[in-house]
Amino acid sequence: MAVESLATEMDTAVRVVHLASSLCVKVQEKLRLPSSTNGGHVKSKDDDSPVTVADWGVQAIVSWVLAEVFGGQSLSIVAEEDTESLSKAESLGLLGAVSNAVNEALSEAPKYGLPKPDKPLGSTEILEAIGRCNSVGGPKGRHWVLDPVDGTLGFVRGDQYAVALALIENGKVLLGVLGCPNYPLKKECLSNGCNQTTTSKPAAGSVLKGCVMYAKRGTGQAWMQPLVAGGISESAATLLKVSSVDDPALATVCEPVERANSNHLFTAGLANSMGVRKQPMRVYSMVKYAAIARGDAEVFMKFAQSSYKEKIWDHAAGVVIVEEAGGVVTDAGGRDLDFSKGVYLEGLDRGIIACSGQVLHEKIIGAVYASWESSSL
C-alpha cells in the first residue's frame, strides 16, 4: 500500500483524537469538582475497572466521524466499550450525560476540520455509534482500533491517560495516534505531577501540558502537536525522537502503576540485574509509549500474570509511534507483536518490552532470559 494513500486516514485520525481529547479534558474537570459526587459519571465494568462518560463519549465521537468520512457500511472498528450497561433503564442519567458531552464536542468539530451533524444526535444515534464499534479485527481487511480512554483509573484520579486510535490492515499497524491531555512539557512532572491539578491558567499562548502524537508506518517519523483549546495548532508539529541512552545504568524504566497489571517484583529484579540505578517511573496508560517516543524514558516493560491476555487497543497506536520515532517494541522473546489474531495479542512470549534502541533492547532481552528461570511468574 502506498504511504500517500493514507493521507486522509492519517489526517482524520489526528483531528478526531484532538477533538476527543478536548471532550476528555472537559469531563475530567467535572469529575474533579469538589462539590461533585461525579454525578454518576463513573460506572464499574464486570472486571471492576471504571468506565466513564468520557469512555463512551469518545467512542461515539470517533465512530460517528469515521463513518461520516469513510462511510459506515464497510467500516470496521475494534473498540473497548459496548452499550450494554449504557442501554439499561437505570443508566438514563448517564446516557444523558454522554449525549450532552458528545453533542457539545461535535458542535466544535468544524474548528478541528471535521464534519458535524446537522442537528444534535439523539441517544439512539449515540448508542448506534458506540455499538458500531463491535468488530473483532483479524488477519484480513482494514480495522480501526480504538481505546477511548486508556488508563481510566488515571483519568478518574486526575492523572495520566490517553486516547488511542490506530489503523490495522491485514494484521499490520499502518498508523497510530495518541492523545495525551495531561502529558507535561517537563519530563520530571510525568512521575510527580508538578501540581498539574492546580487550576491556575498558563500564560497566554503557552501550553504546560497536553499533546497529540502520531506516526505512519514506514515514514521513519513520529510527530507531536500541542493540545490547545478549541482547535488544532496546525503549524506547531514537532518531530519526536527516542533517547540515545543505551547504558542501562542511565536508563529510565516505565512500568504500570497498578500491581495487578504487571509483576513489579520481576521487573525490579530484572532492572537490578542490568544495573539500572534510577527508580522506575510508574505511569498510567499508553502514556508510557509516549514517554519512550519523546525521549523522556528509555524502557517500558510489562509482565502481566499468565492468565491475563493483552488487548490490541492497549498497544497498537503506541507501538507504531515508538517504532517510527526510532524505538523497538517486541515481546520478551524478541518477536514483533502480532496484531492479526483479533482482539487479543495472541502468542505473546511472557511480556512486552518497548525500548529506545536496539542496543538497550538486546541487553534487556538477554537479562529476561537470564532472570526468567529464577522467577516465579
Side-chain angles (χ1 to χ4, degrees):
M1 161 168 270
V3 168
E4 62 270 15
S5 67
L6 287 173
T8 305
E9 287 82 350
M10 186 84 250
D11 185 63
T12 304
V14 170
R15 291 176 187 280
V16 80
V17 169
H18 269 281
L19 180 61
S21 297
S22 74
L23 178 149
C24 289
V25 169
K26 287 171 184 168
V27 174
Q28 193 180 52
E29 282 171 359
K30 284 179 185 167
L31 284 178
R32 297 195 60 75
L33 288 173
S35 59
S36 167
T37 56
N38 80 42
H41 280 36
V42 184
K43 274 183 92 74
S44 285
K45 291 192 273 193
D46 292 340
D47 62 358
D48 284 338
S49 59
V51 57
T52 71
V53 165
D55 294 80
W56 283 304
V58 167
Q59 191 157 311
I61 283 174
V62 172
S63 171
W64 188 86
V65 168
L66 292 180
E68 281 294 302
V69 175
F70 300 108
Q73 290 304 312
S74 58
L75 193 64
S76 169
I77 307 175
V78 185
E80 183 165 16
E81 308 307 338
D82 60 41
T83 59
E84 190 183 347
S85 62
L86 198 56
S87 305
K88 291 175 181 170
E90 68 266 22
S91 296
L92 205 57
L94 188 62
L95 180 55
V98 171
S99 298
N100 289 342
V102 167
N103 282 310
E104 184 186 349
L106 283 176
S107 71
E108 303 269 297
K111 294 179 183 175
Y112 293 84
L114 294 169
K116 77 167 191 172
D118 296 330
K119 61 181 194 299
L121 300 182
S123 35
T124 305
E125 293 166 293
I126 286 170
L127 288 170
E128 274 173 14
I130 297 168
R132 187 188 290 123
C133 307
N134 60 357
S135 171
V136 292
K140 299 289 181 200
R142 177 178 279 200
H143 310 285
W144 290 95
V145 178
L146 171 69
D147 194 338
V149 178
D150 182 47
T152 305
L153 205 53
F155 177 80
V156 171
R157 292 174 176 174
D159 208 312
Q160 296 298 327
Y161 66 97
V163 177
L165 181 62
L167 181 61
I168 292 177
E169 187 166 78
N170 299 332
K172 301 292 181 194
V173 184
L174 297 184
L175 62 86
V177 186
L178 278 180
C180 308
N182 284 341
Y183 200 111
L185 249 51
K186 294 180 180 174
K187 168 186 172 179
E188 57 271 20
C189 297
L190 251 185
S191 49
N192 67 19
C194 290
N195 296 320
Q196 286 186 63
T197 54
T198 59
T199 53
S200 57
K201 295 274 191 286
S206 72
V207 178
L208 293 179
K209 63 178 183 179
C211 63
V212 172
M213 298 184 181
Y214 54 95
K216 193 172 356 183
R217 171 72 64 206
T219 59
Q221 294 179 330
W223 298 89
M224 179 173 78
Q225 291 175 335
L227 202 59
V228 293
I232 299 177
S233 180
E234 300 282 2
S235 60
T238 52
L239 205 55
L240 293 168
K241 199 70 196 151
V242 294
S243 161
S244 59
V245 169
D246 58 12
D247 180 354
L250 304 174
T252 297
V253 177
C254 280
E255 62 183 14
V257 175
E258 298 297 301
R259 288 182 184 277
N261 290 350
S262 190
N263 189 321
H264 285 174
L265 205 58
F266 181 73
T267 51
L270 192 60
N272 189 52
S273 72
M274 293 190 314
V276 172
R277 292 178 191 156
K278 295 183 179 181
Q279 284 292 309
M281 187 160 73
R282 289 186 180 152
V283 182
Y284 290 102
S285 82
M286 255 188 278
V287 166
K288 292 179 280 289
Y289 283 113
I292 305 283
R294 203 176 80 164
D296 292 337
E298 284 73 37
V299 182
F300 160 39
M301 295 188 284
K302 184 178 181 186
F303 294 91
Q305 306 305 323
S306 56
S307 59
Y308 181 79
K309 293 174 82 171
E310 297 285 351
K311 324 277 194 320
I312 59 173
W313 54 67
D314 285 328
H315 300 281
V319 168
V320 69
I321 290 169
V322 165
E323 289 178 343
E324 295 304 311
V328 183
V329 187
T330 68
D331 67 14
R335 296 180 309 197
D336 289 343
L337 306 188
D338 185 353
F339 290 94
S340 72
K341 297 290 196 289
V343 170
Y344 298 103
L345 287 173
E346 303 286 2
L348 202 62
D349 186 349
R350 294 167 286 190
I352 292 172
I353 295 168
C355 232
S356 55
Q358 197 65 50
V359 174
L360 202 50
H361 183 262
E362 285 170 9
K363 289 176 183 174
I364 294 170
I365 295 289
V368 168
Y369 275 101
S371 302
W372 193 260
E373 297 306 314
S374 59
S375 92
S376 58
L377 268 182

